[in-house]
Amino acid sequence: MQLIFLSTLECRSEDGSSVTAQVSITEHQGAFRVLWTGESRDGKGGQEDWFEGPAWKDMLQAYREGLWQKRLAGYYPLVDTSLQTSGEGAKSREQLMLQFYAETHHDPELFQELRKWRMQLAQKENKSAYIVATNRMLHMVCAFLPATVEELRQIPGFGKRKAEAYGHELLAITGGREQERMGGFPLNWVYGKVEQREFEAWLVRQLKLKEEQEEQRERVRRLVLEGVEAGLTLKELAEITRLPRRELVLLLEELDQQGYNMEPIVAAELTGMDADKLAAAGELFNKHGSRLLKPVFQEWYTGEELEGQDLGNLYEKLRLLRMRLNHAMAAEAAEGPAPEEPALEEEAG
C-alpha cells in the first residue's frame, strides 16, 4: 500500500481543549482509499471510510466533500496542505480577507441602493450587471465607503478604467459617509480585524459554493447543447435553463468558440430578418472587424429606425450573425487565396 497524502487536523473547543485527527489517501493495486482517523471529544477513537475505488476523480470529490464537512465542524489543518488552498498567494488571501470582512460588515440598505444603480447602468450600456460591478465589489464599497476615486481604486476589482468610468456616480451615492467608516485607506487595518477561524470557515463555504455553481453551469451547458440539437428556439432555451436571454446568447457564443455547432439556432433566429439588413451587417463587420459590436450597431440602424425597436433583441441578432460570419471568414482563410491563372503567351508574329 502506498501513502499518497496525509494531513493532521485539530479541533478546539470553547474550554480550550482540543482533539486531533488525520485524513489520508492511499493506493493499493490501482484502488484508492480515503480514510479519516480521529478521536471524538470524549476521547474515543474512530475511523470513517470516505472512499474506496479506482476512479481518481471520484476519490478527489469524496476527499473534498469529507474535508469540507470536517472543516465546517471546526477542524483545521495544523499545516494547511489541503488541495483547496494550495498555491494560494499572499495577495490573493488578503483580497479574500477584504471580501470576507465586507460581507459581514456592509450596510444592507446602501448595498440595495448600489444594486439598483448597477442594474440601471447595465441596462443603459447593454451589459450584464456583473460586468459593471460584482456583488463582492459592491459589498466592499458599502463596507469601506471610499470618498475619492483614488480610494475606490484600492478596492479589488476597481482598476483605473472602471474607477474613472463609474467612480463619480458611485461616490455620489456613498458620499458623506466618511464618519461611518470603521477605518480609512489603505485597508491594511482589515487584516488585523479578521478572526482567522471564522475566515477559514468562510473560505470552505465559498469553495463549496463555487463547486456547486460550476456543477450548475455544466448542467446548463448540457441543456443548451441538447436543446440546440433538438431545434429549440432562444425563448424555449431561456425557459428550460432559466437564464436571461443575454446570458444565454453569451453562452451560445462561448460554445460556438469551443467548436460546437450553433448554426441550427443561428439560422432559426435570423429567419425572417430583412436580407438587406443582414447584408449590411456583413459589410460593417468587414469594415470594423468583429471584436466590438457597438461600432457595427451604430451604423447598422439609424436613430429613426431604432424608434420602437427592442435594442436587446437587435444586439442578440447581431451576436448570432457575428457567429455565422466568423465561421465564414475562418473557412475562407483556411482555403487561402484562389490560385492565379497562368498568363497566355503572345504568339510570335
Side-chain angles (χ1 to χ4, degrees):
M1 181 172 65
Q2 180 181 0
L3 178 65
I4 298 176
F5 177 83
L6 178 67
S7 180
T8 301
L9 300 95
E10 180 182 65
C11 181
R12 292 185 179 274
S13 62
E14 293 182 359
D15 62 9
S17 62
S18 64
V19 293
T20 59
Q22 288 185 327
V23 59
S24 62
I25 301 175
T26 58
E27 185 270 334
H28 180 63
Q29 295 182 349
F32 301 102
R33 186 184 185 191
V34 182
L35 182 67
W36 172 271
T37 305
E39 56 185 23
S40 58
R41 296 191 184 279
D42 58 12
K44 296 180 180 179
Q47 289 187 336
E48 298 176 19
D49 272 302
W50 291 355
F51 180 83
E52 188 166 2
W56 173 264
K57 183 177 179 180
D58 293 343
M59 180 274 292
L60 285 179
Q61 179 67 20
Y63 163 79
R64 289 170 174 150
E65 288 285 349
L67 190 61
W68 276 327
Q69 294 301 320
K70 294 299 183 183
R71 291 188 68 163
L72 287 173
Y75 283 89
Y76 295 91
L78 295 179
V79 177
D80 198 344
T81 57
S82 65
L83 298 183
Q84 287 83 6
T85 58
S86 59
E88 182 182 280
K91 183 176 181 181
S92 174
R93 189 174 179 84
E94 289 176 352
Q95 290 181 354
L96 289 170
M97 285 186 182
L98 294 179
Q99 293 172 10
F100 165 69
Y101 184 89
E103 284 191 16
T104 54
H105 292 80
H106 70 273
D107 180 339
E109 292 185 4
L110 179 57
F111 177 68
Q112 292 303 323
E113 191 174 350
L114 290 179
R115 285 188 65 194
K116 182 179 179 181
W117 162 80
R118 178 182 64 181
M119 182 58 65
Q120 292 172 343
L121 183 61
Q123 291 173 349
K124 177 182 176 182
E125 297 189 350
N126 194 37
K127 295 178 178 178
S128 296
Y130 71 88
I131 293 178
V132 175
T134 65
N135 282 343
R136 285 182 173 173
M137 291 164 65
L138 296 186
H139 280 149
M140 287 188 280
V141 171
C142 294
F144 305 129
L145 298 172
T148 65
V149 172
E150 289 70 25
E151 289 182 348
L152 182 64
R153 288 182 59 183
Q154 295 180 49
I155 292 180
F158 284 99
K160 180 179 179 181
R161 184 185 62 81
K162 187 163 288 190
E164 290 179 351
Y166 306 140
H168 294 293
E169 290 186 36
L170 264 177
L171 297 174
I173 299 173
T174 63
R177 295 173 179 258
E178 291 88 340
Q179 69 279 4
E180 302 175 23
R181 300 202 300 200
M182 298 293 292
F185 287 79
L187 299 172
N188 298 339
W189 58 270
V190 175
Y191 312 135
K193 294 282 187 179
V194 171
E195 207 290 319
Q196 289 301 311
R197 287 188 177 271
E198 292 181 4
F199 173 60
E200 290 290 342
W202 177 84
L203 277 180
V204 173
R205 292 194 297 271
Q206 297 307 303
L207 290 164
K208 179 66 174 175
L209 178 61
K210 182 178 179 180
E211 181 156 302
E212 290 173 350
Q213 290 172 339
E214 290 174 351
E215 290 175 354
Q216 173 63 16
R217 180 169 176 78
E218 185 57 34
R219 284 194 291 270
V220 170
R221 282 168 54 90
R222 288 197 298 269
L223 283 174
V224 170
L225 290 171
E226 292 168 0
V228 170
E229 187 175 358
L232 299 186
T233 64
L234 266 180
K235 181 180 179 181
E236 292 169 331
L237 281 177
E239 289 174 353
I240 64 172
T241 61
R242 298 183 179 180
L243 286 179
R245 284 178 65 101
R246 176 183 169 81
E247 291 185 25
L248 178 57
V249 173
L250 292 176
L251 178 55
L252 292 176
E253 284 190 296
E254 180 183 316
L255 292 170
D256 179 73
Q257 292 167 3
Q258 293 172 358
Y260 293 99
N261 180 21
M262 297 293 110
E263 179 56 29
I265 195 167
V266 171
E269 294 298 323
L270 294 181
T271 297
M273 276 202 71
D274 183 270
D276 291 337
K277 277 295 180 186
L278 291 175
E283 293 175 1
L284 290 170
F285 274 122
N286 287 331
K287 174 182 176 181
H288 296 287
S290 62
R291 192 174 70 87
L292 299 177
L293 290 177
K294 192 171 183 179
V296 174
F297 187 81
Q298 288 175 334
E299 291 188 42
W300 196 33
Y301 275 86
T302 65
E304 292 181 358
E305 291 176 317
L306 289 176
E307 291 183 9
Q309 295 273 15
D310 183 339
L311 296 185
N313 181 264
L314 292 178
Y315 264 103
E316 284 176 9
K317 303 292 186 187
L318 203 55
R319 286 183 180 278
L320 294 171
L321 182 58
R322 177 171 64 178
M323 290 162 56
R324 174 182 286 175
L325 293 175
N326 281 342
H327 281 292
M329 288 187 288
E332 184 178 337
E335 292 177 1
E340 295 183 4
E341 295 186 6
L344 296 177
E345 295 184 3
E346 295 183 4
E347 294 183 6

